[in-house]
PDB file of all heavy atoms in Angstrom:
ATOM      1  N   LEU A  50      -1.310  14.508   2.153  1.00 81.00           N
ATOM      2  CA  LEU A  50      -1.375  15.892   1.632  1.00 81.00           C
ATOM      3  C   LEU A  50      -1.719  16.857   2.860  1.00 81.00           C
ATOM      4  O   LEU A  50      -2.804  16.754   3.398  1.00 81.00           O
ATOM      5  CB  LEU A  50      -2.490  15.996   0.517  1.00 81.00           C
ATOM      6  CG  LEU A  50      -2.286  15.129  -0.633  1.00 81.00           C
ATOM      7  CD1 LEU A  50      -3.408  15.152  -1.625  1.00 81.00           C
ATOM      8  CD2 LEU A  50      -0.974  15.432  -1.423  1.00 81.00           C
ATOM      9  N   VAL A  52      -3.263  19.976   4.247  1.00 89.00           N
ATOM     10  CA  VAL A  52      -4.297  20.972   4.004  1.00 89.00           C
ATOM     11  C   VAL A  52      -4.602  21.684   5.293  1.00 89.00           C
ATOM     12  O   VAL A  52      -5.071  21.084   6.240  1.00 89.00           O
ATOM     13  CB  VAL A  52      -5.551  20.308   3.466  1.00 89.00           C
ATOM     14  CG1 VAL A  52      -6.638  21.323   3.251  1.00 89.00           C
ATOM     15  CG2 VAL A  52      -5.223  19.686   2.124  1.00 89.00           C
ATOM     16  N   LEU A  58      -7.733  22.814  -0.375  1.00 88.00           N
ATOM     17  CA  LEU A  58      -8.440  21.662  -0.751  1.00 88.00           C
ATOM     18  C   LEU A  58      -8.367  21.339  -2.281  1.00 88.00           C
ATOM     19  O   LEU A  58      -8.150  20.261  -2.764  1.00 88.00           O
ATOM     20  CB  LEU A  58      -9.991  21.732  -0.433  1.00 88.00           C
ATOM     21  CG  LEU A  58     -10.243  21.447   1.101  1.00 88.00           C
ATOM     22  CD1 LEU A  58     -11.775  21.846   1.378  1.00 88.00           C
ATOM     23  CD2 LEU A  58      -9.927  20.085   1.454  1.00 88.00           C
ATOM     24  N   VAL A  75      -9.984  11.075   5.812  1.00 90.00           N
ATOM     25  CA  VAL A  75     -10.098  12.446   6.271  1.00 90.00           C
ATOM     26  C   VAL A  75      -9.854  12.462   7.692  1.00 90.00           C
ATOM     27  O   VAL A  75     -10.510  11.815   8.505  1.00 90.00           O
ATOM     28  CB  VAL A  75     -11.481  12.978   5.915  1.00 90.00           C
ATOM     29  CG1 VAL A  75     -11.575  14.522   6.380  1.00 90.00           C
ATOM     30  CG2 VAL A  75     -11.607  12.945   4.408  1.00 90.00           C
ATOM     31  N   LEU A  76      -8.969  13.296   8.205  1.00 88.00           N
ATOM     32  CA  LEU A  76      -8.633  13.481   9.630  1.00 88.00           C
ATOM     33  C   LEU A  76      -9.612  14.433  10.242  1.00 88.00           C
ATOM     34  O   LEU A  76     -10.157  15.259   9.581  1.00 88.00           O
ATOM     35  CB  LEU A  76      -7.081  13.791   9.817  1.00 88.00           C
ATOM     36  CG  LEU A  76      -6.187  12.805   9.160  1.00 88.00           C
ATOM     37  CD1 LEU A  76      -4.770  13.367   9.452  1.00 88.00           C
ATOM     38  CD2 LEU A  76      -6.306  11.499   9.830  1.00 88.00           C
ATOM     39  N   ALA A  77      -9.677  14.409  11.537  1.00 90.00           N
ATOM     40  CA  ALA A  77     -10.444  15.378  12.251  1.00 90.00           C
ATOM     41  C   ALA A  77      -9.770  16.725  12.304  1.00 90.00           C
ATOM     42  O   ALA A  77      -8.701  17.036  12.957  1.00 90.00           O
ATOM     43  CB  ALA A  77     -10.661  14.790  13.758  1.00 90.00           C
ATOM     44  N   ASP A  78     -10.501  17.626  11.590  1.00 90.00           N
ATOM     45  CA  ASP A  78     -10.081  19.004  11.549  1.00 90.00           C
ATOM     46  C   ASP A  78     -11.223  19.848  11.106  1.00 90.00           C
ATOM     47  O   ASP A  78     -12.002  19.524  10.253  1.00 90.00           O
ATOM     48  CB  ASP A  78      -8.871  19.185  10.667  1.00 90.00           C
ATOM     49  CG  ASP A  78      -8.228  20.559  10.772  1.00 90.00           C
ATOM     50  OD1 ASP A  78      -8.766  21.445  10.143  1.00 90.00           O
ATOM     51  OD2 ASP A  78      -7.152  20.578  11.312  1.00 90.00           O
ATOM     52  N   ARG A  79     -11.298  21.012  11.579  1.00 90.00           N
ATOM     53  CA  ARG A  79     -12.439  21.985  11.171  1.00 90.00           C
ATOM     54  C   ARG A  79     -12.324  22.259   9.728  1.00 90.00           C
ATOM     55  O   ARG A  79     -13.549  22.565   9.131  1.00 90.00           O
ATOM     56  CB  ARG A  79     -12.327  23.285  12.024  1.00 90.00           C
ATOM     57  CG  ARG A  79     -12.775  23.049  13.521  1.00 90.00           C
ATOM     58  CD  ARG A  79     -12.736  24.431  14.126  1.00 90.00           C
ATOM     59  NE  ARG A  79     -12.796  24.286  15.513  1.00 90.00           N
ATOM     60  CZ  ARG A  79     -13.865  24.303  16.351  1.00 90.00           C
ATOM     61  NH1 ARG A  79     -15.020  24.835  15.762  1.00 90.00           N
ATOM     62  NH2 ARG A  79     -13.853  24.196  17.572  1.00 90.00           N
ATOM     63  N   VAL A  80     -11.246  22.449   9.141  1.00 90.00           N
ATOM     64  CA  VAL A  80     -11.053  22.626   7.689  1.00 90.00           C
ATOM     65  C   VAL A  80     -11.931  21.587   6.931  1.00 90.00           C
ATOM     66  O   VAL A  80     -12.714  21.903   6.012  1.00 90.00           O
ATOM     67  CB  VAL A  80      -9.697  22.805   7.219  1.00 90.00           C
ATOM     68  CG1 VAL A  80      -9.630  22.811   5.619  1.00 90.00           C
ATOM     69  CG2 VAL A  80      -8.930  23.934   7.875  1.00 90.00           C
ATOM     70  N   PHE A  81     -11.721  20.416   7.294  1.00 90.00           N
ATOM     71  CA  PHE A  81     -12.433  19.284   6.557  1.00 90.00           C
ATOM     72  C   PHE A  81     -13.856  19.223   6.971  1.00 90.00           C
ATOM     73  O   PHE A  81     -14.773  18.920   6.057  1.00 90.00           O
ATOM     74  CB  PHE A  81     -11.799  17.902   6.964  1.00 90.00           C
ATOM     75  CG  PHE A  81     -10.305  17.980   6.602  1.00 90.00           C
ATOM     76  CD1 PHE A  81      -9.441  17.438   7.508  1.00 90.00           C
ATOM     77  CD2 PHE A  81      -9.874  18.377   5.347  1.00 90.00           C
ATOM     78  CE1 PHE A  81      -8.041  17.524   7.324  1.00 90.00           C
ATOM     79  CE2 PHE A  81      -8.555  18.364   5.157  1.00 90.00           C
ATOM     80  CZ  PHE A  81      -7.582  17.939   6.117  1.00 90.00           C
ATOM     81  N   LEU A  82     -14.293  19.642   8.071  1.00 90.00           N
ATOM     82  CA  LEU A  82     -15.715  19.687   8.564  1.00 90.00           C
ATOM     83  C   LEU A  82     -16.410  20.799   7.722  1.00 90.00           C
ATOM     84  O   LEU A  82     -17.521  20.592   7.156  1.00 90.00           O
ATOM     85  CB  LEU A  82     -15.887  19.972  10.036  1.00 90.00           C
ATOM     86  CG  LEU A  82     -17.233  19.979  10.555  1.00 90.00           C
ATOM     87  CD1 LEU A  82     -18.024  18.680  10.262  1.00 90.00           C
ATOM     88  CD2 LEU A  82     -17.251  20.309  12.035  1.00 90.00           C
ATOM     89  N   HIS A  83     -15.813  21.873   7.535  1.00 91.00           N
ATOM     90  CA  HIS A  83     -16.366  23.017   6.934  1.00 91.00           C
ATOM     91  C   HIS A  83     -16.355  22.823   5.387  1.00 91.00           C
ATOM     92  O   HIS A  83     -17.216  23.340   4.611  1.00 91.00           O
ATOM     93  CB  HIS A  83     -15.722  24.341   7.285  1.00 91.00           C
ATOM     94  CG  HIS A  83     -15.949  24.744   8.671  1.00 91.00           C
ATOM     95  ND1 HIS A  83     -17.150  25.047   9.102  1.00 91.00           N
ATOM     96  CD2 HIS A  83     -15.120  24.810   9.704  1.00 91.00           C
ATOM     97  CE1 HIS A  83     -17.128  25.308  10.516  1.00 91.00           C
ATOM     98  NE2 HIS A  83     -15.814  25.158  10.848  1.00 91.00           N
ATOM     99  N   GLY A  84     -15.462  22.057   4.940  1.00 90.00           N
ATOM    100  CA  GLY A  84     -15.310  21.858   3.461  1.00 90.00           C
ATOM    101  C   GLY A  84     -15.977  20.426   3.007  1.00 90.00           C
ATOM    102  O   GLY A  84     -15.621  19.948   1.951  1.00 90.00           O
ATOM    103  N   ARG A  85     -16.814  19.979   3.819  1.00 92.00           N
ATOM    104  CA  ARG A  85     -17.273  18.557   3.634  1.00 92.00           C
ATOM    105  C   ARG A  85     -18.106  18.404   2.365  1.00 92.00           C
ATOM    106  O   ARG A  85     -17.933  17.411   1.711  1.00 92.00           O
ATOM    107  CB  ARG A  85     -18.167  18.221   4.891  1.00 92.00           C
ATOM    108  CG  ARG A  85     -19.431  18.957   4.928  1.00 92.00           C
ATOM    109  CD  ARG A  85     -20.169  18.497   6.289  1.00 92.00           C
ATOM    110  NE  ARG A  85     -21.271  19.358   6.652  1.00 92.00           N
ATOM    111  CZ  ARG A  85     -21.276  20.369   7.394  1.00 92.00           C
ATOM    112  NH1 ARG A  85     -20.094  20.801   7.979  1.00 92.00           N
ATOM    113  NH2 ARG A  85     -22.250  21.129   7.729  1.00 92.00           N
ATOM    114  N   ASP A  86     -18.858  19.457   1.904  1.00 93.00           N
ATOM    115  CA  ASP A  86     -19.554  19.304   0.582  1.00 93.00           C
ATOM    116  C   ASP A  86     -18.538  19.213  -0.497  1.00 93.00           C
ATOM    117  O   ASP A  86     -18.689  18.418  -1.481  1.00 93.00           O
ATOM    118  CB  ASP A  86     -20.443  20.468   0.434  1.00 93.00           C
ATOM    119  CG  ASP A  86     -21.615  20.529   1.344  1.00 93.00           C
ATOM    120  OD1 ASP A  86     -22.072  19.429   1.740  1.00 93.00           O
ATOM    121  OD2 ASP A  86     -22.072  21.682   1.719  1.00 93.00           O
ATOM    122  N   ILE A  88     -15.372  18.083  -0.364  1.00 91.00           N
ATOM    123  CA  ILE A  88     -14.764  16.809  -0.169  1.00 91.00           C
ATOM    124  C   ILE A  88     -15.605  15.638  -0.668  1.00 91.00           C
ATOM    125  O   ILE A  88     -15.123  14.732  -1.422  1.00 91.00           O
ATOM    126  CB  ILE A  88     -14.342  16.578   1.319  1.00 91.00           C
ATOM    127  CG1 ILE A  88     -13.260  17.658   1.695  1.00 91.00           C
ATOM    128  CG2 ILE A  88     -13.736  15.144   1.536  1.00 91.00           C
ATOM    129  CD1 ILE A  88     -13.000  17.632   3.151  1.00 91.00           C
ATOM    130  N   TYR A 103     -16.218  12.590  11.278  1.00 90.00           N
ATOM    131  CA  TYR A 103     -17.352  13.296  11.662  1.00 90.00           C
ATOM    132  C   TYR A 103     -18.659  12.745  11.083  1.00 90.00           C
ATOM    133  O   TYR A 103     -18.602  12.561   9.856  1.00 90.00           O
ATOM    134  CB  TYR A 103     -17.294  14.730  11.406  1.00 90.00           C
ATOM    135  CG  TYR A 103     -16.079  15.602  11.953  1.00 90.00           C
ATOM    136  CD1 TYR A 103     -15.141  16.018  11.277  1.00 90.00           C
ATOM    137  CD2 TYR A 103     -16.054  15.696  13.401  1.00 90.00           C
ATOM    138  CE1 TYR A 103     -14.048  16.798  11.803  1.00 90.00           C
ATOM    139  CE2 TYR A 103     -15.056  16.387  13.968  1.00 90.00           C
ATOM    140  CZ  TYR A 103     -14.048  16.970  13.126  1.00 90.00           C
ATOM    141  OH  TYR A 103     -12.934  17.617  13.696  1.00 90.00           O
ATOM    142  N   LEU A 106     -19.741  14.583   7.746  1.00 89.00           N
ATOM    143  CA  LEU A 106     -19.118  14.040   6.527  1.00 89.00           C
ATOM    144  C   LEU A 106     -19.855  12.882   5.947  1.00 89.00           C
ATOM    145  O   LEU A 106     -20.136  12.794   4.793  1.00 89.00           O
ATOM    146  CB  LEU A 106     -17.684  13.765   6.732  1.00 89.00           C
ATOM    147  CG  LEU A 106     -16.807  15.078   6.870  1.00 89.00           C
ATOM    148  CD1 LEU A 106     -15.718  14.845   7.843  1.00 89.00           C
ATOM    149  CD2 LEU A 106     -16.207  15.409   5.505  1.00 89.00           C
TER     150      LEU A 106
END
Side-chain angles (χ1 to χ4, degrees):
L50 301 174
V52 175
L58 281 174
V75 178
L76 302 179
D78 190 282
R79 290 181 191 259
V80 171
F81 305 129
L82 182 60
H83 294 294
R85 64 185 172 269
D86 291 330
I88 294 168
Y103 299 113
L106 283 141

